[in-house]
Amino acid sequence: MQSRTSLSSWQNLVNAGKHMKTQHMSELFKENPQRFEQFSIKLEPFLLDYSKNIISQQTMTELINLAKECQVESWREKMFAGERINATENRAVLHVALRNRSQKPISLDGENISDDVQKALNKMKDFSDKVRQGHWKGYSGKRITDVVSIGVGGSNLGPQMVTEALKPYSDNSINVHYVSNVDGTQIANTLRPLNPEKTLFIVSSKTFTTTETMTNAKTAMRWLVASSFDESAIAKHFVAVSSNNQNATEFGIAQENIFDMWDWVGGRFSLWSAIGLPIAIDLGFEQFIELLEGAHEIDNHFCEAPLEQNAPVILALLSIWNCTFLGAQSQAILPYDQSLHMLSAYLQQAEMESNGKSVNWQGESIDYPTVPSIWGELGINGQHAFYQYLHQSNNIVPADFIGSVESVTPVKGHHETLMANFFAQTQALMQGVDEAQVREDLKAKGRTAEYIDKVAPHKVHKGNRPTNTILMKRISPRSIGSLIALYEHKIFTQGIILQICSFDQWGVELGKGLANNIQAQLAQNTISAEHDSSTQGLMQFYQSGKKS
Ligand code: F6P
């Protein structure tokens, strides 16, 4: 397969990288007062400012050329047309069909799937309305007050992140809880204050084979049956979301309580499906639709905007620029809105499970750096923890700063302080401060020459650290939908340019298989001599500790 490295735009970018590494952004800003205008995009729910990257107009032109040479537009069309672009699993990638709010049909193998999607949405509406209005009753005839969503990875992070983000939009008529960890502590702590008569469980698992989810669901079932003394109570307290109807039924979920998923929806792109049921129960179905609407708006933008003005494409290209051509190895996601406190965890799965791979579409080793590791934390908390590293370490960590013009929960004086930090941080990361300036400042403060010599080098900030700023008008179901879709399409574009199969996740299988094997040995108190000495030693220590 022709390596991307042989493309002329790629070669030009290698050279551009060498040149741009010698440039400082603060100089580029001084030279070009139009830089913000030139390198920002205004969309309905947010402004994307990418001017604080080490780029010139020439760099952007070459990056757009790269997107063109990699045929991003035609791959995008293939995705929306339902072609099986998830090649290793021979599946279409159609999460966009779940939020297709237009009248335009989306087809798969010649069949319009919009009707199936609509049917699934109707079922979600019906069920979420019943639960919220108290018409869905528990085994003793009481209304449901608490919903526990059991799932992990894509069957947890999306719905939980959105639930957390949109808390101010909930009427709190139902308490929604999430359990993802197989560590019994989480489910024990979640169930302790709950009344089984009024608790509904949603078991979310696309495959319905995930050990952690099945273990938690079995524990929940035992808890319910211990209270009701009657297995028929399960039908009133358990629903499932899965594409594996057979396993869900065998598990004991009533057929009518199973919400379908399709193999053309990847787990980490599934919050728009019935995996989003906890969101609909928490916020009401109308607000769930708003979320879909917001995502659909970005789908339209992604399909229609020229590449130069296409926000997901620009984000993907900048990530590739920073990592592949300038050498960054990680990227921070830094939200300055408390409601987005789970965003970096969510994007970690979305990007790293999608593109954290090292072979191309043909299975050949990729000979260039691909995507960074994604990490992050609420910005303000990060400022008092790891920003030291962002400002002064030898490793450059490009970062996305995400904030809101208006707070959904305004408290006098808070938002200005928050946002002052938001603006100051990207400025500081870009500008830095050189030694001459540091010395001058210390002198102005009346410091001695001896003190200045000692401290000045420690106070130098080299700056020139790339950031994107996404400034949302306000957190809302619609704007959160848009924000997530923005990143989803960024990830898609990165995958196309880097020739990565973004929609499989074989890398999680090896560990799962070994864990099953080890679990069987732990249950029998045996240790296979085939394990390496480290694994044997650890298991021995564990087993002997358990016996004592
Ligand atoms: O182990 C990784 C993974 O397969 C993710 O891709 C997925 O989101 C998660 O596990 C949960 O899978 P499921 O929904 O099938 O339980």
Side-chain angles (χ1 to χ4, degrees):
M1 174 167 221
Q2 192 194 18
S3 170
R4 295 304 198 209
T5 55
S6 64
L7 298 174
S8 59
S9 53
W10 188 283
Q11 288 306 321
N12 292 344
L13 284 162
V14 170
N15 292 331
K18 285 180 200 147
H19 170 66
M20 291 308 287
K21 272 184 189 166
T22 65
Q23 305 292 298
H24 199 290
M25 274 189 273
S26 59
E27 292 303 318
L28 298 176
F29 268 96
K30 274 182 213 150
E31 285 161 17
N32 177 8
Q34 299 305 316
R35 198 170 162 83
F36 169 73
E37 291 302 327
Q38 200 175 344
F39 300 127
S40 61
I41 299 175
K42 288 191 187 87
L43 290 177
E44 173 35 41
F46 50 74
L47 160 76
L48 166 63
D49 170 22
Y50 60 96
S51 59
K52 292 191 184 102
N53 277 281
I54 310 170
I55 50 169
S56 64
Q57 187 52 57
Q58 186 57 29
T59 321
M60 288 315 295
T61 305
E62 287 302 345
L63 285 169
I64 296 293
N65 286 344
L66 176 65
K68 287 184 182 154
E69 282 199 280
C70 297
Q71 298 175 335
V72 165
E73 286 153 306
S74 102
W75 280 101
R76 179 187 65 196
E77 275 158 32
K78 286 182 194 181
M79 174 167 73
F80 278 81
E83 285 192 32
R84 294 176 186 271
I85 61 168
N86 175 357
T88 58
E89 296 179 324
N90 192 28
R91 290 176 183 167
V93 175
L94 277 176
H95 47 277
V96 291
L98 300 168
R99 62 224 192 187
N100 174 21
R101 310 300 302 159
S102 75
Q103 300 305 319
K104 259 200 315 207
I106 293 191
S107 299
L108 176 63
D109 298 333
E111 289 202 12
N112 180 4
I113 53 171
S114 308
D115 294 345
D116 289 345
V117 170
Q118 192 51 51
K119 259 191 235 152
L121 283 172
N122 292 347
K123 184 166 171 168
M124 279 176 78
K125 173 173 169 37
D126 185 52
F127 181 73
S128 56
D129 283 354
K130 273 192 193 144
V131 173
R132 288 174 56 76
Q133 291 160 10
H135 301 317
W136 184 282
K137 304 269 199 274
Y139 70 83
S140 61
K142 294 188 178 145
R143 66 182 289 165
I144 299 298
T145 56
D146 292 82
V147 167
V148 180
S149 173
I150 298 176
V152 70
S155 297
N156 160 261
L157 285 164
Q160 188 172 5
M161 186 271 281
V162 172
T163 302
E164 290 292 315
L166 297 177
K167 269 201 165 115
Y169 292 85
S170 166
D171 60 6
N172 298 316
S173 54
I174 308 280
N175 305 309
V176 176
H177 316 263
Y178 287 89
V179 172
S180 57
N181 198 339
V182 75
D183 182 336
T185 311
Q186 192 184 22
I187 193 154
N189 287 347
T190 305
L191 296 184
R192 195 170 297 119
L194 303 187
N195 178 349
E197 294 170 70
K198 302 189 213 172
T199 302
L200 176 80
F201 293 94
I202 303 175
V203 185
S204 294
S205 176
K206 181 178 170 184
T207 56
F208 232 80
T209 57
T210 306
T211 312
E212 295 87 334
T213 300
M214 297 303 111
T215 306
N216 279 322
K218 277 184 202 147
T219 298
M221 247 183 209
R222 279 199 303 273
W223 179 77
L224 174 78
V225 174
S227 151
S228 61
F229 301 108
D230 184 357
E231 297 224 333
S232 70
I234 291 170
K236 296 199 160 79
H237 292 268
F238 274 82
V239 301
V241 185
S242 185
S243 61
N244 190 339
N245 198 293
Q246 190 183 339
N247 274 22
T249 313
E250 281 170 15
F251 190 83
I253 311 280
Q255 184 64 39
E256 63 278 15
N257 288 358
I258 300 174
F259 290 79
D260 288 332
M261 273 179 86
W262 301 274
D263 72 358
W264 41 265
V265 182
R268 52 194 174 272
F269 301 95
S270 66
L271 73 91
W272 323 101
S273 71
I275 290 288
L277 191 58
I279 306 171
I281 294 176
D282 187 33
L283 302 179
F285 189 73
E286 289 66 30
Q287 302 209 71
F288 182 72
I289 292 293
E290 281 286 295
L291 185 79
L292 304 188
E293 294 278 359
H296 180 61
E297 276 167 17
I298 292 296
D299 293 343
N300 288 340
H301 166 79
F302 181 51
C303 287
E304 290 160 13
L307 295 181
E308 295 78 0
Q309 286 297 314
N310 200 308
V313 172
I314 297 290
L315 283 182
L317 290 171
L318 289 169
S319 168
I320 292 168
W321 171 244
N322 285 325
C323 299
T324 310
F325 295 98
L326 297 185
Q329 291 184 352
S330 81
Q331 180 180 359
I333 302 291
L334 303 170
Y336 276 69
D337 194 308
Q338 178 70 29
S339 28
L340 297 177
H341 72 95
M342 278 191 67
L343 184 68
S344 55
Y346 172 78
L347 291 178
Q348 217 165 42
Q349 187 202 15
E351 185 161 328
M352 293 172 81
E353 197 168 74
S354 298
N355 289 336
K357 295 160 191 172
S358 55
V359 295
N360 67 16
W361 297 327
Q362 299 298 326
E364 300 155 350
S365 284
I366 291 177
D367 54 355
Y368 42 85
T370 56
V371 294
S373 53
I374 302 286
W375 58 283
E377 171 56 274
L378 283 174
I380 289 287
N381 295 348
Q383 280 178 216
H384 297 277
F386 56 79
Y387 273 38
Q388 161 65 43
Y389 183 100
L390 298 188
H391 284 286
Q392 283 189 316
S393 94
N394 270 338
N395 294 327
I396 305 291
V397 182
D400 284 2
F401 280 68
I402 302 141
S404 311
V405 172
E406 242 184 84
S407 167
V408 184
T409 324
V411 179
K412 197 165 180 264
H414 283 238
H415 200 59
E416 255 61 46
T417 306
L418 176 72
M419 294 310 284
N421 280 279
F422 178 77
F423 297 124
Q425 287 297 330
T426 60
Q427 190 178 33
L429 286 163
M430 182 274 285
Q431 264 176 208
V433 52
D434 63 18
E435 189 162 342
Q437 186 65 50
V438 170
R439 285 180 173 276
E440 209 174 292
D441 293 346
L442 288 173
K443 205 168 164 198
K445 284 185 183 148
R447 296 296 192 173
T448 62
E450 192 191 353
Y451 178 87
I452 293 173
D453 284 344
K454 186 174 162 193
V455 168
H458 298 276
K459 289 182 73 101
V460 170
H461 292 55
K462 289 185 186 152
N464 217 20
R465 291 165 195 236
T467 58
N468 296 311
T469 298
I470 298 172
L471 190 47
M472 324 238 316
K473 285 192 177 155
R474 190 173 205 268
I475 298 289
S476 69
R478 195 174 268 260
S479 66
I480 287 292
S482 297
L483 183 69
I484 301 168
L486 170 76
Y487 277 103
E488 283 181 348
H489 293 317
K490 171 204 168 186
I491 290 164
F492 166 83
T493 308
Q494 277 175 314
I496 296 300
I497 294 176
L498 298 169
Q499 291 182 317
I500 286 172
C501 298
S502 303
F503 299 100
D504 59 24
Q505 54 285 318
W506 302 106
V508 301
E509 297 301 330
L510 176 62
K512 279 187 196 174
L514 293 181
N516 287 339
N517 182 19
I518 290 176
Q519 187 167 352
Q521 291 167 29
L522 292 180
Q524 291 160 7
N525 246 331
T526 57
I527 299 171
S528 163
E530 283 174 15
H531 292 306
D532 58 85
S533 64
S534 161
T535 307
Q536 284 192 50
L538 291 166
M539 287 172 71
Q540 253 152 21
F541 186 82
Y542 174 78
Q543 291 188 338
S544 58
K546 266 177 66 178
K547 278 183 222 139
S548 61

